[in-house]
Each structure stands twice: as structure tokens, then as C-alpha cells.
Amino acid sequence: MISKEIIERTVVSQQKLFHRLPGMVSRDLLPDIPLSVSHAVIVSGIRRCGKSTLLLQLTQKIKTVHYFNFDDSRIQGFDASDFNRLDTVLLEMKPETDYYFFDEIQLIDQWEVFVRTLLDRQKKVYITGSNASMLSRELGTRLTGRNLQYELFPFSFAEYLKFKNAKPEIASFERFFQEGGIPEFLMFPDIKVLQGLVSDILFRDIIVRHNIRNHEGLQALTNYLLSNVGKEFSYTKLKSAFGISSVNTIISFVKFLEDSYLLFAIPKFEYSLKKQAVNPKKNYAIDSGIINANTLSFTDDLGRILENIVFIQLKRQNFEIFYFKMKKECDFVVSKKGKIVMAIQVCYFFNDDNLQRELNGVVEAIKFFNLEKGLILTYNNTDEFIIDNKQIAVKPVWKWLLESE
């Protein structure tokens, strides 16, 4: 419990800082977010991907809003009993508005009760959060059917071009490949920004919240997964490699990393959910800049970083993503409404040495799923093949990124 005076001072300070946020480029997600709806609007994503700025961009169409960020050390000790005091302070300052914008409200227990009360009073509530599990758990109870959920990712290549005022060409993509799309890093290009982001996630979002004692094990596992994007892993092998006490601990660590949006694990495609659960998974990261800043990358890693960029674009489009492996292997098969609709192979260079291998992987996948065509994405190759009446297009990733917006 904290005093009304502390809440007042914090609100005044936060609102000043909120309206001083850099406007940056208009996010691609912005037109999808409704301005007048009876549901709570939830925007989740990794720390520092621009969620607060997205809220600020929404205010361009709203005269005035209430704003409060719960991830603030000045309100340490804030609990459910303080929500009424906060509401009183907000109403005293701006009685004329019905819009409530909250950052990281899921940090406070029973936040959903307060949000439900606001909705019952016909208020418009917008929430951002950086922990997928903490948000979804409460949304599945008191706010079932009364929320709209969106995910915000770091800048796409198209947003990066707008931010940099750059032309869509291979030279711009080379910079995007190295820098990634975390807005803060693009404004202040110091590698410590991206290293600090990973440290914040590990310590503030995972170690503190889940009372984890094995800091070194979690750090080593995170470094390993960031260094091995696009590679298969099993929980049992990770347990042995890092000397962690149990497989369940490894499963929990990976789940915490996924909840924070730092890493993602995708399954091998199987019609049997039981087989899908026990097969090795593949690991990808949220951003190529984060990979480059927190690992020692070598030439052999370029193809996997390119693959990671393709994966995040598919996530941005709300596909369900699998890898496919039978006699051959295809990097991604993607599902929409329960049906596989696309098979994609990714390789950095496409030449005589790997031509047959890359073609065989995607051809096997499109035949298995009875698709008419497949796609091979490369750093900068363009080509087309017809194999057994199946069309295989070869495109540069940077062009595909702009086409798939």
C-alpha cells in the first residue's frame, strides 16, 4: 500500500515523460487498433519494442488520456488496495476523459479486477505488457470475451526503412540484418543497449519474478539458445549440457524466455500432438540485432540469422509455424486456420553446391501437403524452377519482407 501523495507525484511525472516520448514512425499495427470499443485492448511484446510509443501514437486521435506505468520503482509496494486511490487521482486530474492507458499493469496482483470495473463503467482501457503468460492467465478468467489482443514486434524491414528514411535495396537490408529493429538501439546505436535489454529481461522479468536461484544456469542457457538460432534442441540434452537438476527446470526456463518474447521454440510438424510434443524443437530469437550484440557470430551463422528474420516476419503475420523433417528438411511450413498453406526454405547463398539440397527440402514439403508452389528465400538470389509441376520461386529475403507486409 502506498499513499495518495506518492501516486499523485508519480502520475504527474509519468504523464510529462509519456508526452515527451519520441513519436518515431507510425507503426504498421496502429491502424488495426480500435479507438472506441467496449473491450480492453491488450498490446504485448518484448521490452523496448515501442509499446508505450504506440500508445502515444493512439493519442493523436484522442484529446486527452489517463496514463500510468506500473513498472516504476517509485511505486514499489503498490498493491490491489491502491487501485482505487490511483483512479481517484486520475479522475481529479482529468475528469473529462474516458481513456485509460496502462503500461505493465500485469505486475500488480488482481489488476484484472480493476480493469473489469473500468469496463463496467464504460471506460476505454488500453494495456501494454512484456510478459505473455502473466497477461493471458488473468485474461482467461475475469476478462474472458472482454479483451482484444495484439502483439507488437520490433521494427519490420518496412518500418526500419521509414525510420531510417532509406531506400528499399540490398544495402539497407544489410544494415537491418546487422542492427535489427529495436527502436531504442536504432536511436542510440550502442551495443550496450541490446546487451542491457537481455540482462533486464533475465533479471527483472524472470529471475526476480520467479525467484530463480540458478542465475548462472539461466544465463548460460540463454546465451546458448541465442547463439544457436535455427538449430534443433531437446530439453533432455539441454539438461545434460548445463548440469541443471531436472528436465522440468529446463522446460520452465525456456517457457520464461518465451513469455518474455526474447526467444521462441517451434515444433516439428506432426499430425500426432503426442509426437509433436516429444520431438526436438527449433529455437529462434526476437531480433537479429539482439543476436548479433549478445553472441559471437561467424560466417556460418549468416544463414541462420537470415532464417531468424524470416521466422519473425511469419510471427508478425500470425501464422502458426513448424519445421518439417522427413527424408529431407524444410525450414518452415506455416499454418492458417489449421491448414498448412506455405512451405519456405531459407539459405544465405543459392549456388550449385547447395541447389539440389535446398530444392529437395521444399519439394518434399509441398508434395506432402499437396501445395501448388513453394518458396526459397535467399540473401539476394532470384530464380524459378518447375519440378513435377510444382513451382519453386527463389527470392531475396529483403524483397519478400516488403511484399509480405
Side-chain angles (χ1 to χ4, degrees), residues 60-79:
Q60 295 171 1
K61 299 180 181 180
I62 305 168
K63 290 183 178 179
T64 183
V65 301
H66 300 302
Y67 172 79
F68 198 74
N69 182 0
F70 292 87
D71 191 13
D72 189 323
S73 59
R74 293 171 295 186
I75 58 162
Q76 189 170 6
F78 191 107
D79 61 30

Side-chain angles (χ1 to χ4, degrees), residues 217-397:
L218 175 64
Q219 180 75 62
L221 174 66
T222 304
N223 291 343
Y224 173 83
L225 293 174
L226 282 173
S227 300
N228 288 274
V229 295
K231 290 187 177 180
E232 293 180 28
F233 73 87
S234 73
Y235 297 119
T236 302
K237 289 183 179 179
L238 290 178
K239 170 187 172 296
S240 301
F242 295 102
I244 291 175
S245 58
S246 72
V247 171
N248 286 338
T249 300
I250 287 288
I251 292 172
S252 294
F253 282 3
V254 173
K255 179 67 164 59
F256 297 154
L257 291 166
E258 288 190 279
D259 286 343
S260 70
Y261 289 95
L262 179 60
L263 294 166
F264 304 89
I266 68 167
K268 176 185 174 185
F269 179 85
E270 294 280 1
Y271 284 113
S272 165
L273 294 179
K274 185 176 180 180
K275 288 183 179 180
Q276 187 173 292
V278 300
N279 279 329
K281 293 179 169 51
K282 280 191 174 184
N283 158 71
Y284 294 94
I286 186 67
D287 180 71
S288 59
I290 287 177
I291 297 171
N292 291 322
N294 290 276
T295 66
L296 295 174
S297 296
F298 301 96
T299 302
D300 291 345
D301 298 327
L302 296 177
R304 290 189 289 107
I305 295 175
L306 192 70
E307 189 178 321
N308 199 100
I309 290 172
V310 171
F311 169 79
I312 291 299
Q313 184 70 2
L314 293 172
K315 283 287 292 182
R316 190 178 279 114
Q317 295 173 291
N318 295 313
F319 285 114
E320 187 177 6
I321 308 168
F322 307 87
Y323 74 93
F324 178 83
K325 190 173 185 179
M326 293 184 69
K327 293 179 181 179
K328 309 298 179 182
E329 184 171 348
C330 184
D331 293 320
F332 302 118
V333 291
V334 299
S335 172
K336 205 76 167 178
K337 297 181 179 179
K339 181 180 179 181
I340 298 296
V341 296
M342 195 185 321
I344 300 176
Q345 192 81 310
V346 184
C347 62
Y348 193 81
F349 292 115
F350 195 56
N351 52 37
D352 292 340
D353 294 334
N354 65 1
L355 171 64
Q356 203 58 52
R357 181 181 70 248
E358 305 297 347
L359 285 172
N360 287 344
V362 72
V363 167
E364 184 177 49
I366 61 178
K367 285 183 176 180
F368 183 87
F369 295 107
N370 196 28
L371 302 173
E372 294 300 318
K373 56 186 178 181
L375 181 62
I376 297 177
L377 296 173
T378 72
Y379 189 73
N380 201 29
N381 293 99
T382 302
D383 212 327
E384 184 176 273
F385 299 88
I386 303 295
I387 300 175
D388 296 336
N389 295 319
K390 306 290 186 180
Q391 179 188 6
I392 313 297
V394 180
K395 293 183 179 181
V397 166

Side-chain angles (χ1 to χ4, degrees), residues 27-41:
R27 299 305 299 267
D28 292 342
L29 183 62
L30 189 62
D32 296 335
I33 299 179
L35 286 177
S36 183
V37 65
S38 59
H39 295 53
V41 175

